[in-house]
Amino acid sequence: MIPFEYQRAAHAEEAVATVAAHPHAVFLGGGTNLVDHMKLGVAAPQMLVDVSRLPLAEVEEMRGGGLRIGATVRNSDLAAHPLVRERFPALARALLAGASGQLRNAATTGGNLLQRTRCRYFQDATTPCNKREPGSGCAAIGGWDRYHAVLGASEHCTAVHPSDMAVALLALDATVHVLGPDGARTLPLAELHRLPGDAPERDTVLAHGELITAVELPPASGMTRRSTYRKVRERASYAFALVSVAAALDLDDDAGVVRDVRIALGGVAHKPWRAERAEDTLRGAPATQESFRRAAEAEMAAAEARNGNAYKVPLARNTMVRVLRTLTEGRR
């Protein structure tokens, strides 16, 4: 038995103050990730502050057609929400591609964004891991790296971010609302997660005691409605992505030209990866297989694969092309 304190916060300010005052306290949402890590010996917090019952479980329609999603909204509820399904289909698809029905009933929006890598070395406390124990080394480098990063990795860490939801939110230009000891702030989702660099133990830019309170989607448009998510995995369900792609497309149907596009990749980097090179290549280009292929190649030109994960580079290229073709053919 590993002892720890447990407190249930009555409101967000109390939760933030409690965690900020205790260096070894953490927030507990759905618990689908944290509890596993406590059982494995990967995490050993001295205090859990339960935020799962805070009044942050609503999906609110914003002026202009955007959505504000409370941090404790369950993944299953968000995936089934009629406005999400209608206006942001990429998000609904990504949520339904994650985990299992039982886990989606427990997992929360805020917790999903903050889940940690499923790297087998990170989850095995008997192996070296810079993310788990800074300075101990990275067993994946030179080890079994089939599921590891091909973009943005460093000599200290090659783990990938596991979230499906975060990939879709990145492609939809979501923003994140955060409450901390110094007050509230808002940041683009693209700035929430970080690459490993020389500090892979830090998954996000959040300071200790900062709590995600909501995620906001911008006003819905034809582009967000023409969005989708595709996940490539080793089995049909309950598996993390080898590669995933979320995309939203603004197409001039008459001219057959891409006016605007947003693409995000999962399973390829330490954070959800915005495919900016592919986007830049596609804007103003004809919506053709050749253009899609050129954009995908431009994005993956910077990939650095190792023996075990080299398959991810062509897989990411092909998946991007397939997703873009699906959107131009009018299928969601």
Side-chain angles (χ1 to χ4, degrees), residues 62-77:
M62 308 296 287
R63 180 176 298 177
L67 296 179
R68 183 184 174 98
I69 304 162
T72 63
V73 173
R74 304 293 170 170
N75 285 181
S76 54
D77 293 334

Side-chain angles (χ1 to χ4, degrees), residues 67-313:
L67 296 179
R68 183 184 174 98
I69 304 162
T72 63
V73 173
R74 304 293 170 170
N75 285 181
S76 54
D77 293 334
L78 186 58
H81 196 285
L83 293 181
V84 173
R85 292 168 62 87
E86 176 194 350
R87 300 176 184 177
F88 306 96
L91 177 56
R93 283 178 173 266
L95 287 161
L96 292 174
S100 64
Q102 294 91 334
L103 287 173
R104 291 193 295 270
N105 286 338
T108 62
T109 299
N112 187 295
L113 290 177
L114 299 179
Q115 63 182 302
R116 309 207 70 188
T117 183
R118 265 44 177 206
C119 171
R120 62 167 51 190
Y121 297 109
F122 172 73
Q123 297 195 111
D124 182 353
T126 67
T127 63
C129 172
N130 287 320
K131 180 175 284 295
R132 193 181 62 249
E133 286 185 57
S136 64
C138 176
I141 298 177
W144 196 76
D145 57 7
R146 173 171 170 76
Y147 300 119
H148 286 246
V150 295
L151 291 167
S154 75
E155 61 180 340
H156 301 285
C157 182
T158 65
V160 298
H161 193 272
S163 175
D164 294 289
M165 184 191 76
V167 179
L169 289 175
L170 182 60
L172 294 169
D173 270 352
T175 56
V176 180
H177 294 266
V178 176
L179 180 66
D182 298 323
R185 66 180 177 124
T186 302
L187 68 158
L189 181 77
E191 297 177 9
L192 174 65
H193 301 99
R194 60 184 302 280
L195 293 177
D198 59 0
E201 70 277 9
R202 294 186 58 214
D203 295 335
T204 72
V205 299
L206 298 184
H208 181 69
E210 285 195 304
L211 173 70
I212 293 176
T213 56
V215 174
E216 191 168 329
L217 289 169
S221 64
M223 185 172 177
T224 65
R225 289 181 172 89
R226 197 176 215 160
S227 67
T228 194
Y229 178 80
R230 185 172 186 85
K231 178 177 183 177
V232 182
R233 47 191 166 180
E234 290 184 321
R235 57 180 183 265
S237 66
Y238 199 51
F240 294 99
L242 301 175
V243 166
S244 65
V245 176
L249 187 66
D250 181 9
L251 188 65
D252 184 333
D253 290 301
D254 294 332
V257 171
V258 176
R259 283 192 291 245
D260 198 7
V261 63
R262 294 197 289 265
I263 305 170
L265 308 179
V268 298
H270 191 260
K271 66 177 185 177
W273 185 269
R274 185 69 177 261
E276 294 179 347
R277 292 184 181 183
E279 294 174 355
D280 291 342
T281 302
L282 277 175
R283 290 189 183 99
T288 63
Q289 170 97 0
E290 182 180 353
S291 294
F292 301 155
R293 177 64 60 184
R294 189 182 307 116
E297 289 174 349
E299 188 61 45
M300 299 310 296
E304 295 182 6
R306 294 172 173 81
N307 291 334
N309 64 2
Y311 73 94
K312 284 195 175 189
V313 179

